[in-house]
Amino acid sequence: MTLEDWGWSPFFADSFVLWAERGYLPARVIRGEKNYFRVWTPSGELTVRFAGKMRHQAGGRADLPVVGDWVAVEPQPDQRGLIHALLTRKSFFARNLPGRRKGKGRERVEQQVIAANVDLVLIVSGLDRDFNLRRIERYLTLVSGSGAEALVLLNKTDLCPDPGLCKAQVEQIAAGAPVHSCSALVPEQLNFLFDYLRPGRTLAMLGSSGVGKSTILNGLLGEERQKVGALSETLGKGRHTTTHRELFLLPQGGILMDNPGMRELHLWGEEEDLAESFTDIETLATACRFSDCAHKAEPDCAVLAAVARKEVSALRLESYHKLKNELSNLQRRR
Ligand SMILES: Nc1nc2c(ncn2[C@@H]2O[C@H](COP(=O)(O)OP(=O)(O)OP(=O)(O)O)[C@@H](O)[C@H]2O)c(=O)[nH]1
Ligand SMILES: [Mg+2]
Ligand SMILES: [Zn+2]
């Protein structure tokens, strides 16, 4: 295994120069638990924690390493180490962890970086009760501001009466992202993913609990490395079987991140991110009479006209308004 197999490139080497002089190792965070990290380094895997100074100097939680990050590590005895620095990120995605400020009634916003240095995000959705176009739009918007590319993976074709129809519906809203379907219970059906894998490229799976992320990982690894959990019978939802993020080196070359299922996804990003996930609406908008048209009730609105002609679904426009609102509220609070 080499640094390049784990995704190292001149981009990261540039920001490591200073740290190399001090004898630190370049390391990739491959597993995040509550109180410690595992990193891969050219001299083996280490269990690491942050140097105290790093925690103090971090401007906020977003400046602390997450799974996928490259860091500078000082090796210590017993396969341990200290993280001294976070190397510049090539991409990262984040969500908003809203909460209430103590005492005040106002809502607080906090950016939570989920993962870093991912090249391609597989938005995994189950073709069972999990299937929801609006949720897929939300995930696509999350990825569009991140610097990573997106692919929608519809799993559990065996449970769906018409997988072709579902795939066509997703293609309409996917803004050009590739859409694939499979049943992860048949590992050969995962072979299409080989086209997206190459040494050093990092893929990550996001989706609700129970959609089959860990099953897909096991299928590609050819062994049951990750625990897989049955769905709750009453709710038809997963039981949050995977509880930490982890990167796996695939035998086909490439790296795949398994993630815990997401409960709720509040966006962290800019309104501009919608330009990538709603290309159809943004393109139509250039023909609206007013350049700042909100596509709600304005005269000569090209978007509303397309909805009236049923070229764009009213639900999709509603979803666009909702996400835009969420992002502009976020921008105000920040
Ligand atoms: N019928 C069917 N079941 C599947 C398929 N893929 C996964 N499953 C089942 O779905 C359940 C959940 O799978 P997991 O791989 O644990 O799902 P997960 O996305 O990793 O869930 P969390 O770790 O909780 O986020 C298990 O019972 C799997 O056997 C599929 O293609 N078809
Ligand atoms: Mg899992
Ligand atoms: Zn308009």
Side-chain angles (χ1 to χ4, degrees), residues 155-156 158 183-185 209-215 228-229 240-242 261:
N155 187 31
K156 309 197 186 184
D158 54 299
S183 168
L185 299 181
S209 175
V211 296
K213 299 180 295 297
S214 301
T215 309
V228 156
H240 295 276
T241 308
T242 305

Side-chain angles (χ1 to χ4, degrees), residues 18 50 65 74 83 93 102 162-163 182 192 223 272 292 328:
L18 265 171
F50 306 131
E74 175 190 354
I83 300 181
F93 40 92
K102 264 206 192 115
D162 195 347
C182 69
F192 76 89
E223 55 177 323
E272 290 71 40
D292 62 346
S328 75

Side-chain angles (χ1 to χ4, degrees), residues 288 293-295 301-303:
C288 294
C293 183
H295 327 306
C301 169
V303 176

Side-chain angles (χ1 to χ4, degrees), residues 64-276:
L64 292 173
V66 295
V67 175
D69 266 322
W70 283 99
V71 291
V73 164
E74 175 190 354
Q76 294 182 315
D78 303 324
Q79 258 71 60
R80 296 185 172 271
L82 271 184
I83 300 181
H84 283 275
L86 171 65
L87 304 190
T88 309
R89 290 171 173 150
K90 206 163 69 175
S91 72
F92 70 92
F93 40 92
R95 65 176 162 184
N96 175 17
L97 271 188
R100 299 225 165 259
R101 221 176 242 144
K102 264 206 192 115
K104 303 174 197 163
R106 272 205 313 146
E107 218 182 294
R108 170 178 65 92
V109 296
E110 187 179 10
Q111 181 187 29
Q112 184 197 33
V113 177
I114 300 173
N117 300 322
V118 172
D119 299 297
L120 175 69
V121 176
L122 311 181
I123 298 171
V124 187
S125 175
L127 287 175
D128 48 6
R129 277 196 267 174
D130 179 68
F131 186 64
N132 180 328
L133 294 172
R134 306 287 86 86
R135 176 144 22 78
I136 295 173
E137 283 165 342
R138 181 172 280 273
Y139 275 104
L140 284 164
T141 306
L142 167 91
V143 178
S144 70
S146 71
E149 290 173 61
L151 178 156
V152 183
L153 178 45
L154 305 173
N155 187 31
K156 309 197 186 184
T157 47
D158 54 299
L159 298 182
C160 176
D162 195 347
L165 176 68
C166 293
K167 185 165 174 262
Q169 287 175 340
V170 175
E171 275 163 350
Q172 280 209 333
I173 60 140
V179 182
H180 292 270
S181 56
C182 69
S183 168
L185 299 181
V186 187
E188 299 77 67
Q189 291 194 15
L190 297 170
N191 290 354
F192 76 89
L193 279 171
F194 297 172
D195 290 344
Y196 295 95
L197 294 173
R198 58 171 179 272
R201 190 169 200 224
T202 305
L203 278 56
M205 293 181 288
L206 291 185
S208 319
S209 175
V211 296
K213 299 180 295 297
S214 301
T215 309
I216 292 166
L217 175 80
N218 289 339
L220 288 170
L221 288 171
E223 55 177 323
E224 306 292 300
R225 288 266 287 281
Q226 280 289 72
K227 217 164 97 184
V228 156
L231 305 193
S232 120
E233 276 173 28
T234 43
L235 298 172
K237 290 187 178 174
R239 298 164 191 265
H240 295 276
T241 308
T242 305
T243 54
H244 61 271
R245 304 182 199 288
E246 184 162 356
L247 289 179
F248 294 84
L249 207 57
L250 296 176
Q252 302 86 351
I255 304 146
L256 183 59
M257 186 189 300
D258 193 10
N259 282 299
M262 288 215 232
R263 282 200 170 76
E264 50 180 36
L265 174 55
H266 299 281
L267 294 179
W268 186 275
E270 322 282 331
E271 281 183 72
E272 290 71 40
D273 296 347
L274 291 168
E276 261 180 67

